[in-house]
């Protein structure tokens, strides 16, 4: 709208044999405060994911009756990078609302490792902070930390018996990165990641 304010609008039309016809919008807005070198931003999006062949027909935990899962996501954050500086910091709050999230159920006689099921509702929310510093024009370093709180809202008794958290998502995650950019067209990085405990494994961790 103005020189330092912008809006991005997008939509994706999917015609899927399992999920049907879906329109998934995405909206993002930002505003830059020139005097304090801060950018505020927010975004909204909606999407879906159909079960994979392995999730439906794996002999140990597959479930041919799985339905597509849907998600609505929100985020808001701020970026600070002084003019002429080689360093910057950012912070983001995020929230995702899931319907039909695919999760591992409790073990049964026919499925000793548990069978995948659709959860009636689930959420994932948290905050992420990140900082980068280019101590050389072509070499830099970055660190980030993410805290995520998850939960299921209408899980079946089989899933609620295991945990109310979403499986496969750690509560805390930290990353240290070494960044390389010898030219504007060539960029690379090496990451070292440390994660806290998580319950079992997500249904796609080994796919």
């Amino acid at each position: 709208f103005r020189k330092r304010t912008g809006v991005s609008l997008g939509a994706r039309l999917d015609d899927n044999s399992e999920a049907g016809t879906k329109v998934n919008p995405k909206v993002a807005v930002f505003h830059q405060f020139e005097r304090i070198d801060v950018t505020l931003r927010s975004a909204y999006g909606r999407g879906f994911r159909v079960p994979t062949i392995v999730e439906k027909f794996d002999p140990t935990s597959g479930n041919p009756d799985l339905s597509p899962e849907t998600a609505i996501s929100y985020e808001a954050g701020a970026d600070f990078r002084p003019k002429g500086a080689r360093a910057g910091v950012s912070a983001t709050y995020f929230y995702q609302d899931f319907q039909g999230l695919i999760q591992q159920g409790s073990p049964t006689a026919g499925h000793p490792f548990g069978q995948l099921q659709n959860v009636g509702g689930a959420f994932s929310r948290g905050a992420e902070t990140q900082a980068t510093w280019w101590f050389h024009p072509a070499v830099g370093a970055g660190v980030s930390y993410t805290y995520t709180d998850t939960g299921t809202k209408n899980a079946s008794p089989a899933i609620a018996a295991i945990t109310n958290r979403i499986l496969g998502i750690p509560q805390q995650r930290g990353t240290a990165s070494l960044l390389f950019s010898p030219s504007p067209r060539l960029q690379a990085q090496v990451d070292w990641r440390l994660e806290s405990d998580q319950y079992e494994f997500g249904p796609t961790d080994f796919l």
Side-chain angles (χ1 to χ4, degrees):
F1 297 122
R2 292 181 295 178
K3 184 178 180 181
R4 297 188 177 276
T5 302
V7 177
S8 175
L9 303 175
R12 176 173 173 172
L13 176 63
D14 290 283
D15 186 12
N16 185 274
S17 60
E18 293 190 50
T21 302
K22 300 286 186 180
V23 178
N24 299 304
K26 186 173 183 180
V27 181
V29 299
F30 74 89
H31 178 74
Q32 295 177 324
F33 295 89
E34 183 177 8
R35 294 183 178 180
I36 57 176
D37 300 317
V38 170
T39 299
L40 297 182
R41 50 184 167 74
S42 62
Y44 161 87
R46 187 176 66 203
F48 73 95
R49 187 181 75 84
V50 298
T52 66
I53 293 178
V54 175
E55 288 173 341
K56 297 187 73 170
F57 302 110
D58 179 81
T60 59
S61 61
N63 185 350
D65 296 324
L66 288 174
S67 302
E69 58 182 37
T70 61
I72 297 177
S73 61
Y74 310 85
E75 70 172 49
D79 306 313
F80 174 63
R81 184 164 187 171
K83 293 180 180 178
R86 295 182 176 178
V89 296
S90 65
T92 303
Y93 171 82
F94 58 88
Y95 183 91
Q96 289 181 296
D97 185 25
F98 299 95
Q99 292 296 323
L101 182 70
I102 298 174
Q103 288 281 273
Q104 197 87 4
S106 58
T108 63
H111 298 86
F113 297 102
Q115 186 180 34
L116 295 174
Q117 300 179 23
N118 288 101
V119 176
F123 68 87
S124 174
R125 62 191 175 192
E128 180 178 36
T129 60
Q130 184 176 17
T132 57
W133 174 44
W134 291 90
F135 49 83
H136 182 275
V139 183
V143 293
S144 66
Y145 170 78
T146 304
Y147 175 82
T148 306
D149 176 37
T150 66
T152 55
K153 295 183 286 187
N154 297 305
S156 67
I159 295 178
I162 300 176
T163 177
N164 288 325
R165 286 168 53 182
I166 295 178
L167 305 181
I169 299 180
Q171 280 192 325
Q172 301 184 70
R173 173 182 295 167
T175 304
S177 304
L178 189 59
L179 312 174
F180 304 93
S181 182
S183 70
R185 295 185 178 182
L186 180 60
Q187 296 182 348
Q189 68 182 64
V190 178
D191 295 329
W192 180 75
R193 179 177 295 176
L194 180 64
E195 297 180 347
S196 66
D197 67 308
Q198 62 187 41
Y199 280 95
E200 293 297 330
F201 54 86
T204 59
D205 280 2
F206 303 112
L207 306 184

